[in-house]
Each structure stands twice: as structure tokens, then as C-alpha cells.
Amino acid sequence: MAIISWLSSSIFLSLFTLFCLSISNASWGAEAARESCRPISSLINKDLFHTMFLHKDDAACPAKDFYAYNSFIQASKSFPGFGTTGSLTTRKREIAAFLAQISHETSGGWATAPDGPYAWGLCYKEEISPQSDYCDSTNKEWPCYPGKSYKGRGPIQLSWNFNYGPAGKALGFDGLKNPEIVANNSMIALKTALWFWMTEQKPKPSCHDVMVGRYIPTEADVAANRTAGFGVVTNIINGGLECGIRNDARVNDRIGYFKRYAQLLNVDTGSNLDCANQKSF
């Protein structure tokens, strides 16, 4: 299955490259189409990346030297739609939203931290002192392997056997027998975050579809007030614990990171930033 997944990805990348070449000199190719073929690195270079994550390689951060810029760029190439879909504004906003969410999940900042609380993203690579092994024993499709912990690991803090299993299947590693690799291999770690971001898990839409305007709320979504915006992305990631609560500190932290990164990328955040009035999925 890993070979099939790799071949499918390679074919997609080849077709995407051919498409980009075909429009490079086409008079009919609108600027938006050409824009979508520009790589992530054209929007976020190494200097900007380090400005965003000022303290990720500090000695105080357990993930010191783990989340390298080049690993982020290489990992993103496995998901060609990420940061390349839609207008320049949409592309920048999606990148800012993704980086904001993974920053909250791995934050080492605090209210009076040097350079502010939102300069400390990517400080951790795995959950410290987990309260459980995150094994859902009722899930028979992705059964837990004896003695393994499916605690939060990587930029998105991938958790639970029902996430490790499919992530590993999609990315070519055994997520059930070797979940530790997500905290030991930076490329795989970043790919798990991008996999989670790009993958629809019904009834949840993908975070990607929400941020690029492809999210079409169902009747249940409308009834739950799940209006498109950054707040729905938070709902997808951790709505059961954070949404439907007024002025939740965790939600506010995610928004704080989003606003900082959006400013650095010179793009507005859009509306509907929190999920205080939303029911979880």
C-alpha cells in the first residue's frame, strides 16, 4: 500500500508540474492559475520562517533543531494543494492558519515570554506527561498495538490510534506499531500535520477545504453555527474540548498566532475566527 500511495503521489506531482508548464506561456492562463503554481517557498522563505518561529531552536525547547525550514518545504511538496490553491490572499491565509494551529499545539510561550507569547511555536515535538495512552479499544479498524502510546506527537500533536493508523497508511509508515517515529523523524512529523490538514474525516471537512473556500456547510453544520472561517478549523482539530465556550484561552491562543502570522504574511485573517458559538462536530 505504501508503494501505491507513493506512486499515486508521484503521478499527481507529475501532472501538476505539466499543468504548470502548460500555463506558463499561455495567454489564456489567468494570473490566479499561474499563482497556484508558485511554490510555498515563494511566499515563506527561510528568513520569514525563522522570524515566525523565533525561539523554536532555543535550548529551552525540547524540539530544538527538529523542525527545520527545509523539512517543512519538502514535506509540503507531498501535498501539492497546500498553500497553492486559489488567489494569493487565499494561499497566504491558509499557510498562516496552518502554522498558527501547529504553533498552538507545540507552543512553549507564556504571557510574558520574550518577544511575546506567539513567538514560541514548534517548541515541543511530543506530549509531556500524557494522561492516557490514547487507545480507543473499541476501534477495530485501527487496533492498538500492545504497549504502545498514541499520545500527541508532531506539529499537529497527532493523537489516538484511529489517527495514527490512517496517517501511517497514507504516508508509508506503521502508525500503530511505530507511533514513536512521528517524534523522531522531522519529515514524517511535518507530513502527519499536513496529512491531517488536507484530509477530510466525515462529518468533518478538511481544514484545507475550509481555508480555501471549498467548505459547504451541511444542514447539521448550519444548525451548529459552524460558519466558514478559522474557528471551524479549530473545531475540526479540538472542538470537543474548546468550542462552545466563551473567551476560551486555548482558542484565543490559536487566534493570537493566526493574527501574528497573517500580519507577517501581509494578509487579513478573514472573519469568524473563534468557535465560541459553535457546537463541536
Side-chain angles (χ1 to χ4, degrees):
M1 292 302 293
I3 293 175
I4 293 173
S5 177
W6 178 83
L7 284 173
S8 297
S9 178
S10 297
I11 291 170
F12 187 92
L13 284 167
S14 297
L15 291 174
F16 185 75
T17 301
L18 287 172
F19 166 74
C20 291
L21 289 173
S22 71
I23 68 167
S24 62
N25 295 313
S27 59
W28 54 267
E31 181 59 29
R34 294 192 181 94
E35 185 64 48
S36 69
C37 292
R38 293 172 185 164
I40 297 292
S41 57
S42 70
L43 298 181
I44 175 169
N45 59 29
K46 191 171 185 178
D47 287 342
L48 178 55
F49 188 78
H50 285 289
T51 296
M52 289 174 160
F53 302 104
L54 279 172
H55 296 282
K56 71 179 181 66
D57 294 326
D58 282 13
C61 285
K64 180 180 182 294
D65 298 327
F66 187 68
Y67 298 113
Y69 170 75
N70 288 338
S71 294
F72 167 65
I73 296 301
Q74 286 301 117
S76 70
K77 291 179 180 179
S78 293
F79 300 88
F82 172 72
T84 63
T85 303
S87 67
L88 180 60
T89 294
T90 298
R91 293 183 63 198
K92 287 182 175 182
R93 189 179 291 147
E94 181 185 14
I95 294 169
F98 172 77
L99 295 179
Q101 293 290 357
I102 65 173
S103 291
H104 168 77
E105 296 292 338
T106 59
S107 179
W110 63 99
T112 58
D115 300 305
Y118 308 123
W120 289 78
L122 298 183
C123 190
Y124 288 86
K125 60 179 181 177
E126 61 185 328
E127 186 177 356
I128 305 298
S129 302
Q131 300 301 304
S132 74
D133 59 7
Y134 292 89
C135 169
D136 179 3
S137 59
T138 67
N139 190 299
K140 304 305 180 184
E141 183 179 6
W142 306 106
C144 303
Y145 195 75
K148 293 298 181 179
S149 170
Y150 302 100
K151 68 177 183 177
R153 296 184 181 91
I156 203 71
Q157 289 293 280
L158 191 73
S159 306
W160 296 99
N161 50 306
F162 52 76
N163 281 318
Y164 273 91
K169 181 179 180 180
L171 300 174
F173 70 93
D174 193 330
L176 297 177
K177 292 184 179 180
N178 187 22
E180 299 87 357
I181 196 171
V182 179
N184 295 329
N185 184 304
S186 62
M187 186 71 72
I188 288 177
L190 286 157
K191 284 183 178 181
T192 62
L194 286 162
W195 169 83
F196 185 92
W197 184 266
M198 301 295 292
T199 304
E200 177 185 26
Q201 299 187 51
K202 293 182 177 179
K204 299 178 180 181
S206 70
C207 300
H208 170 72
D209 281 352
V210 172
M211 292 309 302
V212 302
R214 291 177 178 169
Y215 166 56
I216 301 175
T218 63
E219 288 185 10
D221 291 326
V222 173
N225 201 34
R226 293 191 285 261
T227 307
F230 185 74
V232 169
V233 173
T234 296
N235 200 332
I236 292 169
I237 295 172
N238 206 28
L241 295 177
E242 299 181 21
C243 295
I245 305 170
R246 292 284 184 182
N247 200 34
D248 185 85
R250 297 161 296 185
V251 173
N252 291 340
D253 188 66
R254 296 177 192 272
I255 295 171
Y257 273 112
F258 187 34
K259 288 181 175 179
R260 177 171 180 259
Y261 296 156
Q263 183 177 31
L264 287 171
L265 284 166
N266 194 28
V267 67
D268 67 273
T269 60
S271 56
N272 303 315
L273 300 186
D274 67 48
C275 58
N277 296 317
Q278 298 178 18
K279 293 180 180 179
S280 62
F281 284 95

